Amino acid sequence: MLFEGPAGWAEWSPFPEYGDEEAAAWLRAALETATLGHPRAVRETVEVNGIVPALPPREAARRAVDSGCRTIKIKVAVNGRPLDDDIARVAAVRDALPEARLRVDANGGWTREEARIAIAELAGFGLEYVEQPSPTVEDLAWLRALDQGSPSPRTNPSGGQTTRCG
């Protein structure tokens, strides 16, 4: 949804799986932007992450290095491929970029139990977080409850919200 206000245009695009209270906060932010304008920039540049699709390990590592990014998001849980493929891909990227910040994105491709196992298996690669491990908010809540006090990477429902590793 687009809004035109005294300061210009703003956009509001709530996710349907989130509750009204959270969506209302995003709506208030959009209305504020249309009314008051964007805040003053506090930096000249904003780093982005490179994205590595479900490629074989060697190609994944090359794609990560070629991105030039210091943060890499690696796609996992794609089209029923085995977890071993995901582990090999993440390992190859970690070997190629030992100082990079790594994230994985399952796009809701794991069941609760698959996510629990995968997160534990991937924990040794120093991930910042696991994005959208399972398809429902209820699954995410279940995983987050397991996550409390764990050294495993924290779960993240979508690219818009980051829960850093503890």
Side-chain angles (χ1 to χ4, degrees), residues 1-146:
M1 179 174 285
L2 294 175
F3 299 97
E4 184 179 19
W9 289 93
E11 174 189 11
W12 179 57
S13 302
F15 294 109
E17 61 269 14
Y18 288 91
D20 291 344
E21 186 175 320
E22 192 160 9
W26 300 333
L27 175 58
R28 285 190 300 275
L31 292 171
E32 180 181 304
T33 299
T35 303
L36 302 175
H38 292 278
R40 181 184 60 79
V42 296
R43 61 188 55 86
E44 293 293 318
T45 61
V46 176
E47 285 193 41
V48 297
N49 60 236
I51 297 179
V52 174
L55 297 170
R58 184 174 291 156
E59 292 175 49
R62 184 175 37 239
R63 175 77 61 99
V65 169
D66 289 350
S67 77
C69 295
R70 297 187 305 176
T71 301
I72 305 295
K73 181 174 17 175
I74 305 163
K75 297 294 185 169
V76 295
V78 176
N79 298 328
R81 293 184 183 172
L83 178 57
D84 288 345
D85 286 0
D86 295 335
I87 292 169
R89 182 177 321 105
V90 173
V93 172
R94 171 54 73 213
D95 288 346
L97 296 170
E99 301 301 319
R101 294 181 304 267
L102 298 186
R103 307 162 175 176
V104 297
D105 182 1
N107 285 327
W110 290 319
T111 65
R112 285 181 181 185
E113 187 60 18
E114 289 169 336
R116 183 190 66 77
I117 292 167
I119 290 168
E121 292 287 323
L122 293 166
F125 295 105
L127 302 179
E128 282 191 311
Y129 61 80
V130 176
E131 185 175 325
Q132 202 180 3
S134 297
T136 69
V137 172
E138 293 78 21
D139 289 343
L140 184 60
W142 183 82
L143 288 164
R144 282 194 172 178
L146 293 177

